[in-house]
Amino acid sequence: MSAGDGVFERALGPDFARLHPQLQRRFGVGVAAGYGCVGRGVMSEVRRGPWWTLPFLAIGTMRNIMFPERGTDIPFQIDNHAYVDSLGRETVTFVRTMTVRPGRRRRFDATMIYSEARGRIIDYLGTHQHLAVDLELAVTDDGALRLTSGAQRFYEGPLAFRFPMLFSGRAHLTERFDDERGCFVIDLEVRNDLLGFLFGYRGAFECEFPSDGAVPETVKPYREEVRE
């Protein structure tokens, strides 16, 4: 592992080489690598929990974290671009844009860094990096990437506290490459420790790997948080 490795290679260490080659390319996005990844496809299903989860999900739309819509066959795009932020950290965008119905798009924004202090990826959720989430990564026997979110911390001005999981969700994501179909397959589920299932989606997509170095300003957060 070296400073020139991307954030996922640094987090996974030797296990990075166990990923399917197409996933190595996709999650190898980094400043030194010199390319990004733009995926386009269809979510076969976007789900949400019962009616009482709606207020929780509606609040998430204010910062592009989650949203209350559900449906099938929803077109989407995921933008992964690497850049050095104003704090000098290599950052990779994970911005998912879904056309939930004609004329209505929803976004799920995240920016990720590798934390030397914590020895893991920190996932800043939303447009203002208010929520910093520890990520646990693992590679499955068939070369898929499994991601589980852990401890969460809320930052706003002088305010800083560990966000109680009772009022939040724990994400479980699996991404793999389907050799027969020639595409990436993604499955996400967010659950609350007490309330159960909150939100999820599953779908398939194909990727382009632009090497022009351009990072659209529209996928960067409005605010950057120094605290991890």
Side-chain angles (χ1 to χ4, degrees), residues 4 6 28-37 80-82 90 209-214:
V29 168
V31 173
Y35 66 87
C37 179
N80 303 117
H81 300 280
E90 179 168 2
F209 298 89
S211 57
D212 58 6

Side-chain angles (χ1 to χ4, degrees), residues 210-224:
S211 57
D212 58 6
V215 181
E217 290 297 320
T218 54
V219 301
K220 293 182 179 181
Y222 297 149
R223 164 187 174 272
E224 293 171 344

Side-chain angles (χ1 to χ4, degrees), residues 15 51 64 130 153 155 160 166 193-194:
D15 278 348
W51 63 268
N64 287 356
H130 286 315
R153 296 165 295 280
Y155 300 124
L166 181 64
D193 290 346
L194 179 64

Side-chain angles (χ1 to χ4, degrees), residues 64-96:
N64 287 356
I65 297 177
M66 287 189 289
F67 49 84
E69 285 87 358
R70 57 185 174 183
T72 58
D73 299 326
I74 293 176
F76 81 100
Q77 177 170 316
I78 180 165
D79 284 89
N80 303 117
H81 300 280
Y83 64 97
V84 177
D85 71 9
S86 65
L87 302 168
R89 307 174 300 188
E90 179 168 2
T91 304
V92 179
T93 68
F94 273 76
V95 174
R96 287 135 288 190

Side-chain angles (χ1 to χ4, degrees), residues 110-189:
T111 41
M112 300 185 185
I113 67 165
Y114 179 78
S115 169
E116 294 285 355
R118 296 181 180 273
R120 68 184 69 249
I121 288 177
I122 304 298
D123 188 8
Y124 289 105
L125 299 183
T127 56
H128 290 68
Q129 294 193 343
H130 286 315
L131 201 59
V133 181
D134 290 346
L135 296 186
E136 299 289 343
L137 306 180
V139 180
T140 66
D141 290 340
D142 62 350
L145 179 68
R146 183 171 294 155
L147 178 155
T148 304
S149 64
Q152 303 180 7
R153 296 165 295 280
F154 183 86
Y155 300 124
E156 168 59 30
L159 190 64
F161 61 88
R162 183 162 175 162
F163 203 85
M165 294 308 297
L166 181 64
F167 301 106
S168 187
R170 197 180 304 275
H172 304 272
L173 179 145
T174 301
E175 188 169 319
R176 61 185 177 86
F177 189 80
D178 188 321
D179 287 298
E180 292 186 3
R181 298 163 62 191
C183 65
F184 297 87
V185 177
I186 190 168
D187 192 331
L188 170 79
E189 183 172 280

